[in-house]
Amino acid sequence: MRTLLYTEAIREALDLAMAADQRVYVMGLGVPDPKAIFGTTAGLQAKYGPQRVFDMPVAENGMTGVAIGSALAGMRPVMVHQRVDFALLALDQIANSAAKWSFLFAGKQSVPLVIRLLIGRGWGQGPQHSQSLQATFAHFPGLKVVMPTSPYDAKGMLLAAIADPNPVVFLEHRWLHSTFGHVPPEHYHAPLSQALVSRPGSDITLVASSLAHIEALQAANILAQHNISAEVLDLRSIQPLDRETIHASLKKTKRLLVVDHGWKSFGVAGEIIASMSEIAFTDLISAPQRVTAPDHYPATTPAHANLYYPGVAEIVNAALHMFKRTPMSESDMQLTIPLHRDVPDKNFRGPF
Amino acid sequence: MRTLLYTEAIREALDLAMAADQRVYVMGLGVPDPKAIFGTTAGLQAKYGPQRVFDMPVAENGMTGVAIGSALAGMRPVMVHQRVDFALLALDQIANSAAKWSFLFAGKQSVPLVIRLLIGRGWGQGPQHSQSLQATFAHFPGLKVVMPTSPYDAKGMLLAAIADPNPVVFLEHRWLHSTFGHVPPEHYHAPLSQALVSRPGSDITLVASSLAHIEALQAANILAQHNISAEVLDLRSIQPLDRETIHASLKKTKRLLVVDHGWKSFGVAGEIIASMSEIAFTDLISAPQRVTAPDHYPATTPAHANLYYPGVAEIVNAALHMFKRTPMSESDMQLTIPLHRDVPDKNFRGPF
Amino acid sequence: MTLISDKLARFTTMLRIRMVEEMIAARYDEQEMRCPVHLSIGQEAIAAGVCAAFTRSDYLFSTHRSHAHYLAKGGDLPGLIAEIYGRNTGCVRGRGGSMHLCDLDVGILATMPIVGSTLPIATGAAFGSKLLGDQRVTVVFFGDGTTEEGVFSESLNFAALQQLPIVFICENNLYSVYSPLEVRQPARDRVALAAAHGITAALGDGDDVEAIFSLTENAVARARNGGGPSFLEFATYRWREHCGPHYDNDIGYRSEAEFLAWQQRDPLARTERELLASGELCAATLSDIKASLQDEIETAFTAAREAPFPDESTLFTDLFVPTELCVQAA
Amino acid sequence: MTLISDKLARFTTMLRIRMVEEMIAARYDEQEMRCPVHLSIGQEAIAAGVCAAFTRSDYLFSTHRSHAHYLAKGGDLPGLIAEIYGRNTGCVRGRGGSMHLCDLDVGILATMPIVGSTLPIATGAAFGSKLLGDQRVTVVFFGDGTTEEGVFSESLNFAALQQLPIVFICENNLYSVYSPLEVRQPARDRVALAAAHGITAALGDGDDVEAIFSLTENAVARARNGGGPSFLEFATYRWREHCGPHYDNDIGYRSEAEFLAWQQRDPLARTERELLASGELCAATLSDIKASLQDEIETAFTAAREAPFPDESTLFTDLFVPTELCVQAA
Ligand SMILES: Cc1ncc(C[n+]2csc(CCOP(=O)(O)OP(=O)(O)O)c2C)c(N)n1
Ligand SMILES: Cc1ncc(C[n+]2csc(CCOP(=O)(O)OP(=O)(O)O)c2C)c(N)n1
Ligand SMILES: [Mg+2]
Ligand SMILES: [Mg+2]
């Protein structure tokens, strides 16, 4: 079984997309530089030339407009920002232009644009370099918003996003970049709209995406030791939200716990709980719960990382609480749960 | 009892705030022009001079930064945009700078800034001039987000917002501008953090804000004819969200229906349902529901207005459904419910 | 001979725009065109002169004030009027109204009311043309106020950096809504500003359709030959209110005297005088032209008013284009 | 006499910045400063020359690369080092790390890493000063890349429109991260760009601290006397990697030769040579200065390393300032 790093999977997707379709180009600050967006664009400029793989001015809103215009003219731009935070500068073009284009122009035109946005965390990233803004994008109709967890999905969903005629916001968590997993060499698509049951179970449904999904899987392992069988769903797509798959799981487990690294209020976890409360109220036998970042910002000091970010322990305890069990003791936690700090564990080579 | 139009209430608040505090200034496109932001800034430049009441370049992000900087230097800016949609251009300064300032600088500095944003609707406003973006702002920690419904609250909350040392996003629905109600002449504050029980009831709780709150009150009247006693909550503040008041109401009514004119998914209604499902699950006897704009855009054609916007009929029917009653017939609706079109009813002089 | 008829063609374009917009103004108070309209009456020479320098397949972008550009570039008249009436036969099926026009057959990709938003998009379309080598030149129209938005600079910078085939047309009508230039910009020269970005830039008389045409023709030729972008600013004046059909000199943001001075310079009357004086046009031909335009316009309005509104079932479509399908201009 | 000691003071400021940043570089790999650091080694003359022209109560804003500006304006050294170490004694109590500094006692309102974000905020602080008549002048530092952001133009436009007391300082170190100027901007002249906005603008040698000082002094005097804003660009070079403590000429985005040529022009060595040559400084005094700086710096590092981390209970505070309280600079 061929395994690749997450970054290599992204790179391979870009490479295959560019080879297959002349219209695809990749642009962003640092795209052709020696660091190559953490390796995800390495070698592409050498292979496809500076007309198709290039740097840009520091002008997020304008360059998003440029990408949109070039898409209208026949290109397939892939834009990348080293931090999702910078995309707030471009929200006018993303939300007022790209998201509304197809509807406004009656489907006569559309904007096939992929925007890769990297989520930062730890090592003093601070409030302006570590936001998880999936809910902000997902709220605007007309955008597809995806957050692949596995290298397999990263490649397949990026290829699907590039092939899609609509604007797709593609969120990559930096801490996933160093994880690895099975990635077939060929050109394939993973769906942009379907959650994945990544671990079947019968007692409680854990819904999560991206880095939080990996934590949910770890939590499921620990819950198993407590004789709780957790079904874990990898959301993969935030917008559209795969309410069917979540509902199907709840019919079996009757308990819902959502994990998301965005802020609690007005976030993704809330939407999932709301949807399920609306349509699956009678299936639920206890109050649905969420484990999220607090409605606050993380300081840069490493002293804050452990306190700010929710992690495996919080997921496990939230689940135990739903079963009216006592929370894990501090010492139990020390034994079973890798302490997440302000950088990913050095030994953590994921995905599990 | 002295009554004022909503616009007059806003104007009076600005006037009183400027008279009371030399640091307060008002800026925005059109602020001193003959239309005076629908009358809300009328006469202020003549009274306070062009140094304190002025127009600005068409540069939303930069001018928001200017407002922030002047606040740091000791001023109390009130900024206004004729449409909330334009504020997306300024989201970097609003969300990355203003919202994070106090936390980042350890409370040594804060940004006392009020941003008035007007929500448009109807008469061909279309997708780029009629967005209800309360959830977008409310998701960012560090912003207060309010949506007063009554002229009384419009005045009191605007005065409180100007006195507040933190950034406040103040959302005004254009259709409320022509409503009127009791407004005392003096300087008073209405709280920026509390929902109001605007109509007591015992069978179901309707939570809404701004224009949707007026529709909820109308719906409650009709529900009363069906022997359903609806308690109506005027949310007033979106962030902070007054979960206590909502929960207290649910303890009594055991049913929750939320009305919001924002898009359904990842919106305000979802957050309220999620919070209550978490903390009031055992109080609820039926699935909480929401009535919102669809996850779609309104076309400019008037043919779309009636179909796109949820209104009194949808609220009534959603409530009836929660009681397993049959929905109102088309003809019943014609009789009891003012057909909302793409402009507010000419006779509609509100607030009820 | 060609020259004569070209000049007449440009005059006719101006006249047609004027007559269409006057008809919109005349009927607007009937409240059947239920969307904001921003008229270009007084500014027609720029649309007519500029668009005459472009071909059908070149791209056009504009703003909230775009009927003139749409018509001058060859946009379908019935599609425009039906769109303003919110009908299913409108150029975007009632989705966009007056402020969101498109006619792909003649290269009109989009008009949009968020000030500045079409500047980088137009720049991107020109970038696409460069990458594709499709020989198209893009034109983007905008007002003086638009040059205050950050994306104006961002667009000029990228256009200059990439030497893109684009012509930026600034219609300086002295106001942004009711706000005069001097409360929004220092006494700066936007032409110098564009030039400082490394862009060929010039200022022109917005009432002289022939001068506008020849300045633009040069810019288009340069762009088409790989010579990069141009910025052209034209001095002009909007006769009617910012938004809506009426005159508004009485409300206090500008003086009747200022208005009258500009109205004296009426670009349409000026060209008509010149054509009549030179004999390129005679009174009889003129009235024939007017009659046939009147006919065309009335037909378009009648058709629009008789056309159906979009069906309920179509109004919640097109949020996404189906994944198999992707409509792109190229 | 005053002149001599001023020149020496500016030299000492440069030297102090260099020594502080070299200490940060030396200790960074210990992994106890757990936040990104952007060093100004090689660029010190600009911070020292510019800040010498301002008073303590004037306002300063900067970017991700701001240690030099913070120190030159008189910011508290122990507060800086403790902040980088994430300690409770840091200038913002560990909230911001290297990229979010402030020291209200000396007018340092904020440094922020979102490129361009402090430009309009600084413009706004100057606007506040104008409204309040507090006689302050604001300085804002930024890099060449920052001039590509739309808010750059928006800020210049408003500063010129309002004739604000602000000095814009552009440190052109030829790169934005690893991207050279020529892939981001046409061969345009940012000084002409600022001038086209109606702003007094000049280009200076970023290695000559005295020339920097006098250019800035003029700009500050003009601003203080109501003469409006200035834009000054200084040519300079960052010696170390964009972010982090190391040299990186080997990774391929710039050449060792380019680096060496700039290092030859070392602004610190140059001033040292001049001072020694003119006799304003002798070797003994120099080594005394170095020793006392070394002492001060070591003390700051030791204190930072011994200081406590912020207490859990304080880390979730300050999202809002209590309504009764509002801390404003004035
Ligand atoms: C981003 C944004 N800000 C503000 C507005 C409101 N607005 C609509 S048209 C207009 C005037 C723009 O002036 P100008 O560019 O000179 O065009 P003109 O109307 O004079 O043709 C403004 C400010 C808007 N539509 N978008
Ligand atoms: C809005 C935004 N875009 C991109 C970045 C990433 N970034 C951090 S520093 C930097 C370089 C800016 O270059 P310049 O202004 O020349 O400053 P220098 O680092 O050379 O001092 C960039 C692009 C950012 N922080 N913010
Ligand atoms: Mg104008
Ligand atoms: Mg630089």
Side-chain angles (χ1 to χ4, degrees), chain B residues 107-185:
Chain B
K108 294 180 182 182
Q109 302 180 68
S110 75
V111 178
L113 164 65
V114 177
I115 309 182
R116 290 178 51 204
L117 298 171
L118 277 53
I119 301 172
R121 166 167 168 184
W123 198 268
Q125 295 291 299
Q128 295 184 331
H129 279 63
S130 61
Q131 296 170 83
S132 286
L133 300 179
Q134 47 272 29
T136 301
F137 296 106
H139 189 44
F140 287 96
L143 295 177
K144 299 190 177 183
V145 180
V146 299
M147 298 182 83
T149 306
S150 67
Y152 180 93
D153 281 336
K155 176 177 168 183
M157 292 175 80
L158 184 51
L159 279 164
I162 295 173
D164 199 283
N166 302 289
V168 181
V169 172
F170 189 95
L171 289 155
E172 293 165 38
H173 200 291
R174 272 282 290 129
W175 284 26
L176 294 180
H177 273 172
S178 54
T179 62
F180 66 96
H182 170 55
V183 177

Side-chain angles (χ1 to χ4, degrees), chain B residues 29-30 33-35 55-61 82 85-86 89 122-129 294-304 307-308 341-343 346, chain C residues 28 31 33-36 83 85-87 94-97 99-100 112-115 145 148-149 176-179 183-184 241 251-253 309-310 312 315-319:
Chain B
L29 293 176
D33 81 16
K35 299 280 173 86
D55 218 310
M56 65 177 212
V58 196
E60 287 77 5
N61 201 33
Q82 308 228 16
D85 315 66
F86 310 157
L89 279 148
W123 198 268
Q125 295 291 299
Q128 295 184 331
H129 279 63
D295 286 337
H296 212 277
Y297 295 109
T300 59
T301 176
H304 207 181
L307 302 167
Y308 180 83
R341 303 167 60 95
D342 73 326
V343 287
K346 268 208 185 114
Chain C
Y28 194 74
Q31 307 223 341
M33 290 176 259
R34 299 177 81 83
C35 68
E83 186 58 37
Y85 275 91
R87 306 303 162 121
R95 302 291 171 80
M99 305 196 293
H100 298 277
M112 302 248 281
I114 298 285
V115 166
E148 293 149 22
E149 288 284 5
S176 164
V177 191
Y178 306 116
S179 309
V183 304
R184 301 178 284 115
E241 59 190 337
I251 69 172
Y253 72 104
F309 283 105
E312 302 202 3
L315 279 165
F316 291 97
T317 58
D318 298 324
L319 187 61

